[in-house]
């Protein structure tokens, strides 16, 4: 008999277990790891403290929490910390808008988001919590910067930069998306500034080559980094000016297609090229053109999409292999000064950009690569450049060669006559990490007033703390106009000095936080080297693919730089990477085309969308990534309040493979909530028929009990394999199947009841990483005094993993005559009897008795008999 279960009070149960876990500190990892246990470091990309979690957070941290809880159950030393990427422009912008200090705004948001995340039941070790805006964190970052400076990994130079006119700061190339600032969306401009840079290019080849050592990274991320680093083989070559001018006798360029040199029809230089700058001193029209180019921005996407424009300088260069040809020199808006030499030669027939430019300015187009099967006398590219394979023609000593052979041959000739050399070029540029803003880590250097010398601060003068008395009434960096903080003395001479008022890019903060998490208790150094070496690399890192060439590439460089400086003995920060899909939702508009929130829309009796407030028709738009601008967001707080954290977690895990986008639907969360209540109702309803904890099992199980036990034990390995491979939706499906089996099982005796308890306990252990509050509550109801969160992962009984029955081949004199189904490991008598009952075997024997029966257990029964010879033409 079963009892009628009480309704599950989700909110009370979840709050109870969250408080108990916190009070017991069961998720805290000791500073000194427990000896004899294998480590496992789980980490999600830490959040920016905007003040409110969103569904992307719910998905990201649920994935990490399931992984951390499962690894603990497997017996690992698990490190699963949490912190805040707390510096950045949003806080500064909020300060300007709300007349509130960025520190106050940031820490209030941290408190709000911490409470929201804890409501999800996440098993983070909050004792290791860090915020990158706290001086206890950034003081160590300043010391790291000084060590980079000593190693030549940090340096200052004047260079052309990406300038965001809205945020009034410099952006790295990686932070320019489609020609716009990655946060503001403003069109990026070019400016020349003194900037602090990190020498990421020093590791370009290693960063590229080591991608092959990261098999647990998504292939798409490795490919994105490979393309961003952009290793290419080519040539640097000089074309002599026909009429030299002061300071310039030639133009040097880099090209990956030297095989097409005979097709060159022009030279293009960047607006910032020294030759262009010199010419602009006496040419106002060129000044105007250069200014127009600077407003275009610096990203490849912006340049690719823009109309190709050039300014004819009037200069020409000699073609090195054809004395009869002279090529005009243009200043062009599509050439970047920070790639190669800031100059290129244009071969219009075999580069679409060059072709568009040549057609615009009526320049020659000469094909020099002949496609297979084309007639060299008639081939013409028209308005589409030919970029495929072929053989060289119209190219003198290169005629008849394939492209790769021609490249090598022309480089040999260039080196022979002394006008250039073969070289390797990278698309990757050094990381410009200066930012003209207040809310960031101060750069610990000063500039002596007397001679302008840059002087690093000695470690004993760290930290350089941000001043609290800043004013945001005027646009720009308040540090640059601070009346006292800015002015100091030189640590070497005691003379007046001015502090560096730029602060560090926030990607600096997130490029080493994973190492600080390993030992955030250290005060005299960023972390203890031995402890960090134990925990690193991160075993499972989880976050968005949008950081493939921002955070992830920078973190890989930073780890190498930290090792070079003696902080670590690792080159890679993340052994495994998982990039989760986005959370999406339908979009809705009212009759005037204004976006409306999902909760403002309902359905009429015909299923048509209408506005809740007015009953007027609403329009359904595309399913898109949740965004505030399109109002297709769902508040996680309201979901947790209405359905509970376990239901939200379950829906996040079960509705879609985690690497794919997840569409949030009301039906989906309703279904998850019903399952949570169903499991509670099912188990509390049979508590009175279950034997007491520790009861001994019986060998006399019914067939139904054996079947239930087999399914439960087989589910253990299946769920484990799914969790290992991030097939979390499959793991949920297996648990649901086990729930169905438990629900349909009706115990009839003590042995059955024991089997039921065993299956339930296995089921609770399996769902614990996914629905921890429900599992813990039911575990306690079943009489356990220990934490389910600290209970080992179940071990399957090997004897229950075997199939009940096997298919066995029956042969007569070595020929297959039938197949039979037998119980696994059936005895000889049972196998013989079943084989001899088969009609086709009886027919084949034709009354003869087997002289010998050979049995291969669970595989073959072979009957050897003297039978009549077959009639010719018939097969017995």
């Amino acid at each position: 008999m079963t009892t009628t279960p009480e309704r599950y009070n989700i909110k009370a149960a979840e709050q109870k277990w969250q408080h108990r876990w916190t009070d017991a500190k069961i998720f805290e990892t000791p500073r000194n790891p427990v000896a004899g246990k294998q480590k496992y470091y789980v980490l999600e990309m830490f959040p920016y403290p905007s003040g409110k979690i969103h569904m992307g957070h719910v998905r990201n941290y649920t994935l990490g929490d399931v992984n951390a809880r499962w690894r603990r159950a497997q017996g690992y030393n698990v490190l699963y910390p949490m912190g805040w990427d707390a510096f950045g422009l949003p806080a500064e912008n909020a300060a300007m808008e709300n007349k509130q200090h960025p520190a106050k705004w940031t820490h209030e948001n941290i408190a709000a988001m911490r409470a929201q995340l804890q409501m999800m039941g996440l098993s983070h070790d909050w004792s290791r919590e860090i915020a990158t805006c706290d001086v206890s964190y950034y003081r160590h970052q300043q010391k790291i910067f000084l060590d980079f400076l000593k190693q030549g990994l940090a340096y200052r130079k004047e260079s052309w930069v990406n300038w965001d006119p809205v945020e009034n700061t410099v952006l790295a190339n990686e932070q320019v998306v489609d020609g716009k600032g990655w946060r503001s969306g403003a069109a990026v401009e070019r400016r020349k500034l003194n900037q602090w840079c990190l020498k990421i290019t020093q590791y370009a080849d290693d960063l590229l080559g080591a991608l092959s050592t990261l098999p647990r990274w998504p292939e798409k991320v490795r490919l994105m980094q490979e393309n961003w680093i952009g290793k290419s083989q080519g040539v640097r070559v000089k074309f002599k000016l026909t009429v030299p001018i002061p300071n310039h006798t030639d133009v040097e360029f880099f090209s990956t297609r030297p095989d097409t040199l005979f097709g060159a029809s022009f030279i293009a230089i960047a607006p910032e090229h020294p030759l262009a700058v010199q010419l602009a001193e006496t040419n106002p029209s060129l000044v105007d053109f250069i200014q127009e180019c600077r407003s275009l921005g610096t990203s490849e996407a912006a340049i690719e999409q823009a109309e190709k424009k050039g300014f004819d300088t009037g200069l020409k260069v000699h073609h090195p292999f054809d004395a009869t040809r002279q090529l005009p020199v243009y200043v062009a808006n599509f050439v970047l000064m920070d790639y190669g030499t800031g100059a290129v030669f244009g071969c219009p027939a075999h580069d679409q950009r060059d072709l568009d430019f040549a057609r615009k300015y009526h320049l020659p187009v000469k094909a020099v690569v002949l496609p297979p099967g084309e007639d060299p006398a008639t081939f013409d590219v028209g308005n589409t450049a030919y970029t495929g394979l072929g053989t060289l023609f119209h190219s003198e000593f290169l005629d008849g060669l394939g492209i790769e052979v021609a490249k090598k041959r022309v480089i040999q000739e260039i080196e022979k006559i002394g006008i250039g050399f073969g070289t390797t070029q990278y698309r990757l540029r050094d990381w410009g990490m200066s930012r003209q803003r207040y809310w960031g880590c101060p750069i610990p250097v000063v500039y002596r007033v007397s001679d302008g010398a840059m002087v690093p601060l000695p470690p004993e003068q760290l930290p350089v703390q941000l001043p609290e008395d800043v004013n945001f009434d005027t646009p720009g960096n308040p540090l640059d106009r601070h009346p006292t903080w800015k002015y100091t003395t030189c640590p070497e001479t005691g003379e007046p000095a001015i502090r560096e008022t730029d602060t560090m890019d926030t990607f600096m903060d997130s490029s080493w936080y994973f190492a600080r998490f390993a030992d955030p208790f250290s005060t005299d150094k960023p972390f203890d080297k031995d402890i960090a070496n134990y925990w690193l690399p991160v075993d499972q890192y989880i976050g968005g693919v949008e950081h493939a060439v921002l955070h992830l590439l920078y973190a890989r460089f930073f780890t190498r730089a930290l090792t070079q400086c003696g902080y670590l003995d690792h080159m890679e920060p993340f052994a495994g990477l998982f990039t989760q899909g986005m959370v999406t939702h339908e979009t809705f508009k009212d009759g005037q085309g204004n976006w409306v929130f999902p909760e403002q829309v309902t359905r009429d009796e015909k299923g048509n969308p209408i506005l809740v407030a007015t009953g007027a028709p609403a329009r359904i738009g595309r399913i898109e990534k949740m965004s505030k601008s399109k109002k297709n967001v769902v508040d996680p707080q309201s979901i947790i309040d209405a359905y509970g954290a376990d239901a939200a977690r379950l829906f996040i895990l079960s509705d879609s493979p985690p690497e794919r986008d997840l569409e949030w639907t009301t039906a989906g969360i309703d279904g998850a909530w019903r399952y949570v209540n169903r499991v509670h109702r099912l188990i509390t309803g049979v508590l009175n028929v279950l034997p007491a904890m520790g009861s001994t099992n019986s060998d006399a199980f019914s067939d139904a009990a054996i079947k239930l036990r087999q399914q439960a034990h087989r589910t253990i390995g299946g769920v484990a394999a799914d969790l290992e491979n991030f097939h979390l939706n499959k793991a949920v499906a297996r648990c649901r199947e086990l729930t169905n089996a438990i629900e349909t099982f009706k115990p009839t005796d003590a042995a059955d009841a024991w089997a039921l308890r065993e299956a339930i306990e296995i089921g609770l252990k399996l769902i614990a990483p996914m629905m921890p509050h429900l599992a813990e509550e039911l575990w306690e109801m079943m009489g356990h005094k220990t934490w389910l969160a600290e209970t080992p992962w179940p071990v399957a009984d090997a004897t229950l993993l075997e199939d009940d029955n096997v298919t066995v081949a029956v042969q007569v004199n070595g020929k297959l005559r039938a197949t039979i189904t037998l119980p696994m490991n059936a005895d000889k008598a049972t196998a013989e009897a079943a084989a001899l009952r088969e009609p086709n075997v009886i027919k084949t024997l034709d009354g003869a008795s087997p002289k010998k029966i050979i049995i291969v257990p669970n595989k073959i029964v072979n009957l050897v008999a003297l039978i009549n010879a077959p009639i010719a033409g018939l097969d017995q």
Side-chain angles (χ1 to χ4, degrees), residues 460-590:
E460 59 269 20
Q461 290 191 16
L462 301 181
V464 179
Q465 296 192 55
L466 290 169
E468 294 186 8
D469 56 334
V470 286
N471 186 293
F472 293 96
D473 292 341
T474 304
N477 182 3
L479 293 178
D480 201 37
R481 57 178 183 270
H482 197 280
T484 58
W485 179 89
K486 180 178 178 179
Y487 303 100
T488 184
T489 57
C490 173
E492 294 179 350
T493 66
E495 298 176 67
I498 296 176
R499 294 190 188 279
E500 173 62 77
T501 58
D502 285 358
T503 54
M504 299 184 195
D505 181 6
T506 55
F507 280 101
M508 289 277 288
D509 312 339
S510 58
S511 289
W512 70 282
Y513 79 109
F514 45 86
R516 177 66 176 173
F517 271 144
D519 185 27
F521 313 107
S522 178
T523 56
D524 60 335
K525 50 190 173 183
F527 43 80
D528 180 274
K529 182 176 181 178
D530 290 339
I531 294 176
N533 280 334
Y534 170 82
W535 285 113
L536 292 175
V538 175
D539 296 281
Q540 188 61 65
Y541 199 40
I542 304 169
V545 72
E546 66 270 18
H547 293 293
V549 292
L550 281 162
H551 162 60
L552 290 171
L553 185 60
Y554 291 157
R556 295 183 65 219
F557 157 69
F558 225 84
T559 304
R560 286 161 167 77
L562 287 171
T563 296
Q564 180 176 328
C565 293
Y567 286 98
L568 286 172
D569 293 327
H570 290 282
M571 299 300 276
E572 292 293 341
F574 314 119
L577 172 68
F578 187 84
T579 54
Q580 83 280 1
M582 297 181 294
V583 182
T584 65
H585 199 290
E586 285 180 315
T587 52
F588 301 95
K589 288 184 177 180
D590 62 18

Side-chain angles (χ1 to χ4, degrees), residues 256-257 259 389-390 392 401-409:
T256 60
R257 290 298 305 272
D259 55 301
L389 298 176
L392 274 292
L401 300 179
I403 291 174
E404 294 306 316
V405 175
K407 286 180 181 179
K408 295 176 182 177
R409 177 70 179 85

